Amino acid sequence: ARYIGVEELKPGMRGYGLTVFSGTEPDRFEVEVVSILRNHEPGVDAILIRCHDPRFDIARGVQGVSGSPVFFEGRLAGAMAFGWPYGVEPLYGVTPIHEMLKIQSALPDRHSAGNAGSGMFSAIDRTVYRNLMADELFRPEMLRRLARPAGRGDLLSDGSPAEAAALAALPMPVILGGFSSRALQVVQERNPGLHFQLGLQSSGSGGSQDLRVSLQPGSSVTIPLITGDMSAAVLGTVTEVAGDKVYGFGHAWNGIGASQWPMASGYIHTFISRSNMSFKLGDPTEIIGAIQADEATGIFGRIGAEAVMVPVQVTVHWAMTGQQEPFSMRIAQDSRIDARLAAMAVINAVLQKGDLPIDHTLSYKVKMEFDQTDPFVFENISSDNYVYDLEGDLSGPMDLLLNNPWKEVKLTSLEVQATIYDTNTAAAIRSVRIPQTVYQPGQAVPARVVIEPVRQDLREYELLLQLPDDLPEGNYQINIGSQQAYQQQMQAAQPQRFSAFTPKDVQQILQERLSIRRDKLYISIIMPDSGIAIEETSLPSLPGSKAMLLTDKSRLALMRRFQAFASNSMNTDYIINGNANLPIEVRKK
């Protein structure tokens, strides 16, 4: 008797809906059945309604009303969930309540609380882990491209349909607080497909988090993604509350099935009317439970359930003024989005006082902790590359570890200390020379390197490379250059060292990579073939015939030759760019 089925509805029937127009209490508005859309989704019908309310005449389609319940004959029919961008009248598609109730009934059979969360995905393909020194793996846009074949979509999206004429799920507004427009622009530039509508800037918590709101049909419900000194939350509406069970949205947020996100009530400031699609401007309030399922017909949560949130601490020091400011946040624990949320929080903290100086240097220390592996602890420096080096060093390793295909790993904490200087410390290699071209095994090769800093005098450094005592006679190349050139030399000589087969391998390899600083000069030499690597096992000093047999292309296992590698480095006060290769000959006499 509480619910009314689609088969009982007829065009012209009048009823009412509930949603929050401002504050926390749902308001009533009149609706009318226009028609029934059969098989709108596979096996699922939808109810087409028209809203009769002056507020909807102005706002028409509204992001944030997703889940608003509609009633006919005093019984709940379903949730407002679909609309048309640029529509000139307030028409909505309604997901039947009987379809939404199936979310909860399927939940226990499909995933227990212990398995809920992001463990049901392995987003990044194994082949990506065969070369963890590849430069592109620290670029978020490349990682997202590599992840897509494994089924990963854009988790934070405005959901705008490609065709304005298409009936589509109402986009879910991600309400932001405490973020600068410039920081969000940088995040979006680096993450194609990651959409935040900058008009959806709220006042942050605005004191709303202190409100205690009891959820009821028509109440605002939010998924807080970031809380604290910055905030980000998905905003929708509650359709039904049955005891501690909450149903909402009427369509998927992302349709990932099992989930474990925090669930909070919401406070609505107002409707913002726009020509394409209006939206509710609001804030999350008190966290009261957890969203446990996200499926095609809506979301399901439980009041009182807990979802883990990860503490994030960012301290920014502006060396030019001596100012220092700490930022304290918590982010939702989810492998698909933690790297994005962490990057958003850190970039926003660094850019909180505006753009970096035109001439700048950014120094940073990072500690990321996880539940299944050792932490990443590293420090580095960049100049003349805005915040992109920091963002890549932060989000690349996090994405690769959290989305590995072997074992579920969760982020448990993040600490970042960043210092901003108003000087440009980038420098290009101007010239390199060595005193001779013929050396004996065991000798040291001295290299004099002249660098050209930005708007400064030339600087000269001398590096020494010790040749091994048993180095065979022959012709070799000495490489002198930047961090990037050194990484390429290491990868070319010993590719097996940078192939991962377990999460522990990922952590160890990336920790080594992150420890290579940009303000060092590197000198290295690649020596003759010295072995074969079979998967993660190295077999050095193999005879040529055996090496040829093992590297037969008919074998399935990953097998690669590797070479001996010697190197040295020295600290400088500059971020080095460029490299040079100098030929030498090694003779015993």
Side-chain angles (χ1 to χ4, degrees), residues 84 97 133 338 385 400 421 490 504 527 589:
W84 283 268
I97 185 60
M133 275 290 177
D338 277 346
N385 198 27
L400 287 164
Y421 303 90
M490 295 172 70
K504 187 174 181 180
M527 292 169 281
K589 293 185 180 179

Side-chain angles (χ1 to χ4, degrees), residues 303-348:
I303 297 171
E306 292 188 12
V308 177
M309 297 198 77
V310 180
V312 176
Q313 302 289 330
V314 184
T315 303
V316 183
H317 177 234
W318 291 270
M320 308 85 74
T321 61
Q323 291 179 291
Q324 180 170 298
E325 186 169 352
F327 299 86
S328 180
M329 291 77 63
R330 301 181 79 84
I331 63 175
Q333 189 183 65
D334 190 293
S335 67
R336 296 166 302 254
I337 57 172
D338 277 346
R340 305 285 80 74
L341 297 178
M344 284 174 58
V346 173
I347 290 172
N348 189 54

Side-chain angles (χ1 to χ4, degrees), residues 9 11 32-37 46-50 72 82 84 91-94 167:
L9 299 176
E32 174 190 359
V33 175
V34 175
S35 188
I36 305 299
L37 305 177
I47 308 159
L48 183 62
I49 66 167
R50 177 181 287 108
F72 296 95
F82 308 96
W84 283 268
L91 290 170
Y92 286 88
V94 172
L167 173 65

Side-chain angles (χ1 to χ4, degrees), residues 152-167:
R152 179 183 179 186
D154 296 323
L155 196 64
L156 301 179
S157 173
D158 66 359
S160 296
E163 297 292 335
L167 173 65

Side-chain angles (χ1 to χ4, degrees), residues 167-179:
L167 173 65
L170 294 169
M172 303 301 301
V174 179
I175 304 296
L176 304 168
F179 279 86

Side-chain angles (χ1 to χ4, degrees), residues 20-26 211 213 220 266-270 281-283 285:
V20 178
F21 288 89
S22 65
T24 60
E25 288 299 316
L211 291 174
V213 181
S220 292
Y267 177 91
I268 302 302
H269 299 290
T270 188
L281 183 66
D283 291 323
T285 58

